[in-house]
Amino acid sequence: MADVARAAGVSTATASMALNDTGGRRIGPETRERVRAAAAELGYRPNTVARGLRTRRTQMIGFVGDDVATTPFAGQMIRGAHDAAREAGFLLLMVDTSGDPAETEEAIGALQERQIDGILLATMYHQVVAVPDAMGSTPCVLLDARTADGSASSVVPDERGGTLGVLAELTGAGHVRIGHVTTREQVQARAVRLETWRERVAECGVDPEPLLVEVEHATTQLGYEGALVLLARPDRPTAVFCFNDRMAMGVYRAAAELGLAIPADLSVVSYDDQELIAPALHPGLTSAALPHYDMGRWAVVELLRRLDDPEAAPVQHRMPCPVARRQSVAKPR
Amino acid sequence: MADVARAAGVSTATASMALNDTGGRRIGPETRERVRAAAAELGYRPNTVARGLRTRRTQMIGFVGDDVATTPFAGQMIRGAHDAAREAGFLLLMVDTSGDPAETEEAIGALQERQIDGILLATMYHQVVAVPDAMGSTPCVLLDARTADGSASSVVPDERGGTLGVLAELTGAGHVRIGHVTTREQVQARAVRLETWRERVAECGVDPEPLLVEVEHATTQLGYEGALVLLARPDRPTAVFCFNDRMAMGVYRAAAELGLAIPADLSVVSYDDQELIAPALHPGLTSAALPHYDMGRWAVVELLRRLDDPEAAPVQHRMPCPVARRQSVAKPR
DNA sequence: ATGAAAGCGCTAACAG
DNA sequence: CTGTTAGCGCTTTCAT
């Protein structure tokens, strides 16, 4: 920068202002051009570390995630956050904790030492969490999680809306005896999807309980086993809503073994819309999509808002889960 | 830090050395303890931006990737790099380019402005690339890619070894008529897997050409269609090696439709070992795993080595692809 | 409209 | 063994 100033025949102060368009209207237009030209000539690149020391802004956002790699959704969330950050001139500094609270505290500390401007705290499989003490006054937005008291901004998928969406595909086709295959794992998503399904089926005048099967985990294998049980019952459902795509994959196998054609004999809908599964199954699986990309974007936008205005009231947002419609639904036979 | 020094009754220089264990043996043990205690007392956290300005080291590594989100492998690579970096006190600054060279140059520039200590350049689906000019003298390691001239350190999967590994599962069980269903997309992986398969089948005294099917893309649907063609041929293979797990999923469907039981009537092996597919298929699919986690780790270790010794000779590494053995292989009937 | 100078928080060279 | 001082590269008063 000193070189640039010298080359343009001005002081470093002037050079800085010319390059950053700061200092109001005190820089003459041709001075600014001269400085710009000199900078381009010399291939000048600002040192943001020095700038950060002075301005106390690093243009970096910390992303701390539960388990960045394991879940394929995480990638989309990161991507959304990344894109929004980059558009605003920010970069993402990533830390993965294995879900361990101590590690999370440590990660937050490591980011704060690096003077990040704010933190995105992502908990895979949206849960109710407390903002860690280590956060202190660092601006923070929760991703796929929320606080019990609404003290921090957060964004979660609208699980209820998504469930109603895929169920509407079924009821719209004329189904009322709609089964549900789900997991016993106590995650937020399970509870909402299950409860919403219960309500909706009851509204159709059908008792949901005989149409419910619960298994230990949300795996393909257990989805298969659960479906075998459900489809063997006397008044078997004409359609099944699966907790997620992996379980749906098992339901497909069970249907095939029982000689039930999808969708002619059995309609199937699901949740997650995983790229590797839902479109790859045959026939393509209708599934409610988790809007992770958009959630990532939203979180960054909200974080930037809070950086501008630390007094702004926290916002709790529910992101819609659009239905990806494919070929797994037909009229009941 | 000034506060800590004052509280301990020493100068900031002494405090700095006491906390960082620098300056050789010039700090007395009880002085150091006194400083440490004061720091802990005050909850002192170093400002790494100021430190970075002084030391010209930021303890941050730039990770620039082709398409971080889209491919599920990327997550594992990032995770590996992340873990190794963190163990050494480094954090990852991520930038995703959509594979666009101009964006890549820009990303490298953005990272350099932030004074990262080095860059990991990841190209999904390993390719031969040139190190971008923008890299300048920034230390850099290529991930899942390599240069034509070996001028940069790089790590790629050992595709040939992995292919031989899964083929050995088949030949070991007694198969010689081994088909191959692959894509026409011109990626490095396709060429190596195809060529290795050709050689190996020829070594078994079988002409590979009638056992080969190529389709436009490596999708489940086209894998299905390709398998229908292959399995309808007069001298149909007793086993199939698929380009990847997604295609294998299609092969499973084709076999089911043709009334061929896997593995009794047809053995199947594949490549990628995708978590969502290979163990979820029925029966479990034997597949060569892409060692992305280990590649990520290796790249960071290598980068740190180059930071220590910028004159070190570049290394090209091939990471083994272990075979994940499941239930899709049996003796030919 | 511009320049001089101070200082962000830290480390490293130089004195003692 | 410890303190003083200079300075990393930038921004931002303050004075002109």
Side-chain angles (χ1 to χ4, degrees), chain B:
Chain B
M1 166 120 235
D3 296 343
V4 173
R6 201 173 316 116
V10 298
S11 74
T12 59
T14 303
S16 168
M17 289 170 160
L19 292 174
N20 298 318
D21 272 328
T22 56
R25 289 276 64 79
R26 53 175 280 189
I27 302 296
E30 46 45 269
T31 312
R32 196 177 55 215
E33 275 326 301
R34 199 147 33 88
V35 174
R36 291 253 155 97
E41 174 70 26
L42 296 174
Y44 168 76
R45 312 239 39 183
N47 179 329
T48 58
V49 171
R51 174 183 292 168
L53 183 58
R54 187 66 236 242
T55 61
R56 310 171 147 287
R57 283 271 195 144
T58 53
Q59 304 285 104
M60 295 192 302
I61 294 174
F63 185 106
V64 1
D66 249 340
D67 214 337
V68 174
T70 309
T71 135
F73 309 128
Q76 289 302 328
M77 220 152 74
I78 293 170
R79 182 68 196 254
H82 166 275
D83 289 357
R86 205 137 158 54
E87 285 164 21
F90 284 73
L91 251 39
L92 249 39
L93 202 49
M94 300 232 346
V95 193
D96 193 298
T97 73
S98 320
D100 174 32
E103 253 192 275
T104 302
E105 300 260 333
E106 198 193 313
I108 292 170
L111 290 169
Q112 287 168 334
E113 285 187 4
R114 274 149 178 112
Q115 314 296 122
I116 39 76
D117 295 333
I119 287 185
L120 258 28
L121 192 57
T123 313
M124 306 304 147
Y125 305 121
H126 86 264
Q127 294 165 7
V128 174
V129 301
V131 174
D133 291 341
M135 197 62 80
S137 60
T138 306
C140 153
V141 173
L142 267 31
L143 251 166
D144 215 352
R146 57 200 169 80
T147 57
D149 59 358
S151 57
S153 283
S154 62
V155 53
V156 298
D158 179 8
E159 300 270 355
R160 183 174 164 79
T163 302
L164 290 174
V166 287
L167 291 179
E169 296 291 316
L170 297 176
T171 54
H175 293 273
V176 290
R177 272 208 330 287
I178 301 169
H180 186 36
V181 181
T182 190
T183 168
R184 283 203 188 86
E185 292 158 291
Q186 295 302 319
V187 291
Q188 195 78 8
R190 168 201 184 262
V192 179
R193 294 173 195 178
L194 173 59
E195 215 34 65
T196 307
W197 163 81
R198 257 201 193 110
E199 280 175 32
R200 194 70 195 81
V201 168
E203 280 170 19
C204 293
V206 174
D207 178 14
E209 300 317 321
L211 299 175
L212 174 65
V213 172
E214 295 174 282
V215 294
E216 284 314 308
H217 303 289
T219 62
T220 300
Q221 176 62 27
L222 292 180
Y224 163 73
E225 295 175 16
L228 284 184
V229 171
L230 179 64
L231 299 175
R233 289 189 185 159
D235 220 13
R236 91 170 139 71
T238 61
V240 179
F241 165 49
C242 308
F243 170 70
N244 70 8
D245 292 348
R246 290 166 68 190
M247 299 192 82
M249 190 169 166
V251 172
Y252 268 54
R253 176 153 83 93
E257 286 188 9
L258 296 173
L260 298 171
I262 297 173
D265 302 314
L266 184 73
S267 291
V268 180
V269 299
S270 169
Y271 219 107
D272 288 1
D273 192 31
Q274 286 203 286
E275 187 197 348
L276 248 31
I277 302 180
L281 288 174
H282 187 80
L285 173 64
T286 291
S287 190
L290 287 168
H292 280 105
Y293 180 85
D294 293 326
M295 287 164 56
R297 284 200 88 98
W298 188 93
V300 166
V301 170
E302 169 66 8
L303 185 60
L304 296 179
R305 189 180 73 93
R306 300 187 71 71
L307 293 182
D308 274 351
D309 175 13
E311 304 308 320
V315 178
Q316 270 76 46
H317 188 63
R318 266 178 216 290
M319 189 70 72
C321 296
V323 172
R325 188 175 292 139
R326 298 202 178 79
Q327 298 80 40
S328 60
V329 176
K331 286 204 204 74
R333 174 163 286 185

Side-chain angles (χ1 to χ4, degrees), chain A residues 181 220 223-232 236-240 242 247-268 282-283 328:
Chain A
V181 180
T220 300
Y224 162 74
E225 295 174 15
L228 284 184
V229 170
L230 179 63
L231 299 176
R236 91 171 139 69
T238 61
V240 179
C242 308
M247 300 192 81
M249 190 169 165
V251 172
Y252 268 55
R253 176 152 85 93
E257 286 187 8
L258 296 172
L260 297 172
I262 297 172
D265 303 314
L266 183 74
S267 291
V268 180
H282 187 81
S328 60

Side-chain angles (χ1 to χ4, degrees), chain A residues 61-145:
Chain A
I61 295 174
F63 185 106
V64 1
D66 248 343
D67 215 336
V68 173
T70 308
T71 136
F73 309 129
Q76 289 302 327
M77 220 153 73
I78 292 170
R79 182 66 195 254
H82 167 275
D83 289 357
R86 204 137 160 56
E87 284 165 19
F90 285 73
L91 251 37
L92 248 39
L93 202 49
M94 301 231 344
V95 194
D96 192 297
T97 74
S98 321
D100 174 33
E103 254 191 275
T104 303
E105 299 261 333
E106 198 194 312
I108 291 169
L111 289 169
Q112 287 168 334
E113 286 187 4
R114 275 152 177 107
Q115 313 296 123
I116 41 76
D117 296 332
I119 287 184
L120 258 30
L121 192 55
T123 313
M124 306 307 148
Y125 305 120
H126 87 263
Q127 295 165 7
V128 174
V129 300
V131 174
D133 291 340
M135 197 64 79
S137 60
T138 306
C140 153
V141 173
L142 267 31
L143 250 165
D144 214 352

